[in-house]
Amino acid sequence: QVQLEESGGGSVQAGGSLTLACVGPTFKYSTNCVAWFRQAPGKEREGIAAIDASEGRTYYADSVKGRFTLSRDNVKKTLMLQMDSLNPEDTAMYYCAARGAWCRVPRWYLEHDYNYWGQGTQVTVSS
């Protein structure tokens, strides 16, 4: 059974940065798709970034493009999300998700394509 665990959430002021990590000791980061989703109170969960292990290609939602950066450490089985220039609209619960295949592009952001999910880590950005 694949288990994913997020860490790195917290509270930060607008303009600040945070780095989230997703660890999955049993997941094959080197061969599959891993993504970050987020859900703000009263809103639907949205896919914000994904990385395709086949070529290390990354995909970003327009809402985070240019501010968030994905990176992957296959040896440590960890996916990192560097979040810069945070604003209050980024306040949400952030989830790591994985799929036992390559990212389904161009619609990599669809929840139902991901088989494995972490419990989430809260990010709060104050103005």
Side-chain angles (χ1 to χ4, degrees):
Q1 183 177 357
V2 174
Q3 292 183 327
L4 302 174
E5 184 174 353
E6 305 93 339
S7 64
S11 298
V12 65
Q13 289 190 328
S17 299
L18 282 174
T19 301
L20 304 184
C22 173
V23 180
T26 62
F27 189 72
K28 295 182 179 179
Y29 279 89
S30 61
T31 59
N32 295 281
C33 179
V34 191
W36 285 96
F37 287 74
R38 68 183 182 185
Q39 187 168 21
K43 295 187 178 181
E44 294 186 353
R45 192 178 298 186
E46 65 166 331
I48 58 171
I51 185 165
D52 195 331
S54 61
E55 298 179 358
R57 189 166 297 177
T58 53
Y59 309 95
Y60 296 96
D62 288 343
S63 58
V64 305
K65 195 173 296 181
R67 300 188 298 123
F68 291 10
T69 305
L70 275 173
S71 62
R72 181 187 67 207
D73 186 327
N74 290 337
V75 175
K76 294 183 178 180
K77 307 272 187 167
T78 302
L79 176 71
M80 283 74 71
L81 181 68
Q82 175 67 38
M83 306 187 296
D84 298 318
S85 301
L86 286 163
N87 58 63
E89 290 69 41
D90 295 314
T91 295
M93 184 70 80
Y94 283 69
Y95 298 91
C96 177
R99 138 185 186 89
W102 294 355
C103 294
R104 194 191 298 274
V105 295
R107 304 178 75 185
W108 54 268
Y109 48 83
L110 297 178
E111 278 189 71
H112 61 256
D113 279 340
Y114 292 85
N115 312 98
Y116 312 107
W117 291 82
Q119 294 299 308
T121 185
Q122 178 67 38
V123 172
T124 302
V125 185
S126 58
S127 57

